[in-house]
Structures are given as structure tokens and as C-alpha cells.
Amino acid sequence: MHDRDSLHRFLFEQFPIRGHLVHLDASWRALIEHRDYPALIRDTLGQAVAACLLLAATLKFEGVLSLQLQGDGPVHLLLAQCTSGLGVRGLARFREEKLSDVAAFQDLFGRGNLTVTLETDDAAQRYQGVVSIEGRSTQPGPAGLF
């Protein structure tokens, strides 16, 4: 059994393609061990943490990258954070009674915003981008949200 976290860079030398492959195991288990998230919430949080790690791996910075979704849907807050040392944490706040109505990404968060924040370790600089959550997912269900 693979019980390590890993982040690998890859490059296709004949093509202008490069990327990262992330595998979370021990850190993911630690992140959710004291939480009893429903599968949909757990999977969405996992995707957000992986997306945050992949984005942080492409940046050269010393600080914290935060990915935050806030909305008026069943999930009213989802936060994933990654440090420049690739430490992760995350959480989700949701209304369980409304989860049965979820058929797509838009239904999960409702109307709201996605905020990406990059803050330096000394808090001297902060960069933030905010976009509204709009439109419908092209996916047939809540899988593959990110």
C-alpha cells in the first residue's frame, strides 16, 4: 500500500507540455480523520486540495495559497490551503439536509464566489482574485467538479 504523499513534475520534451502529478495519502487521511464528511463533500474537498497543491507547485513563492468557495447552496464554505512547503489543510461547511438536491456543481455551491489568495509568509504582500460562480457544469453530475 502506498502511504506517502508525492508531487512529481513531468515534461514531454517533444511537445510544449509540462505538468504535475499529485498523490495524497497520509496528509489526506490526517486532514479528514476527525471529520465525518458525506462522500460528495469529501470528494469535492479532496479535489479542491489537489487543485490547490497543483497550483501552488507551479508558483515560486514563500507563503500560503488559499482556494475558497463560498455560496448560498448546501456547501456554504469550502477552503483548501497549501503552503509553499506543500503542507495542506482544508475544511467544508455544509447543510446536510440540502445535499439530496445536488445534481451539478452549481447546485452544490449555489450563487457565490471562488476566491484564490496568495499571501507571503511575512504577510507583507497579498494577491487575490475573485470570480463569481455562474453557469452550469458540463459534467452530468457532481463528479469532476474541478
Side-chain angles (χ1 to χ4, degrees), residues 7-52:
L7 180 71
H8 297 284
R9 291 179 197 250
F10 63 86
L11 172 70
F12 293 103
E13 294 183 18
Q14 292 81 4
F15 303 100
I17 299 172
R18 64 180 177 176
H20 290 85
L21 174 67
V22 65
H23 175 85
L24 296 176
D25 195 343
S27 62
W28 175 246
R29 284 195 312 263
L31 193 144
I32 63 168
E33 77 178 325
H34 298 296
R35 306 268 197 308
D36 189 23
Y37 291 126
L40 177 61
I41 303 298
R42 185 191 63 237
D43 294 349
T44 303
L45 179 60
Q47 291 174 21
V49 169
C52 194

Side-chain angles (χ1 to χ4, degrees), residues 103-114:
F105 180 80
Q106 180 69 23
D107 300 329
L108 195 58
F109 294 98
R111 289 178 301 151
N113 294 313
L114 166 64

Side-chain angles (χ1 to χ4, degrees), residues 34-97:
H34 298 296
R35 306 268 197 308
D36 189 23
Y37 291 126
L40 177 61
I41 303 298
R42 185 191 63 237
D43 294 349
T44 303
L45 179 60
Q47 291 174 21
V49 169
C52 194
L53 267 166
L54 290 169
L55 184 56
T58 65
L59 302 173
K60 292 183 181 179
F61 77 105
E62 294 295 323
V64 177
L65 176 84
S66 300
L67 180 74
Q68 179 177 334
L69 290 114
Q70 285 185 289
D72 62 3
V75 178
H76 51 93
L77 173 67
L78 186 134
L79 174 66
Q81 289 185 321
C82 180
T83 66
S84 49
L86 303 181
V88 296
R89 66 182 185 168
L91 64 89
R93 300 282 185 248
F94 60 97
R95 297 170 193 89
E96 192 158 2
E97 67 277 2

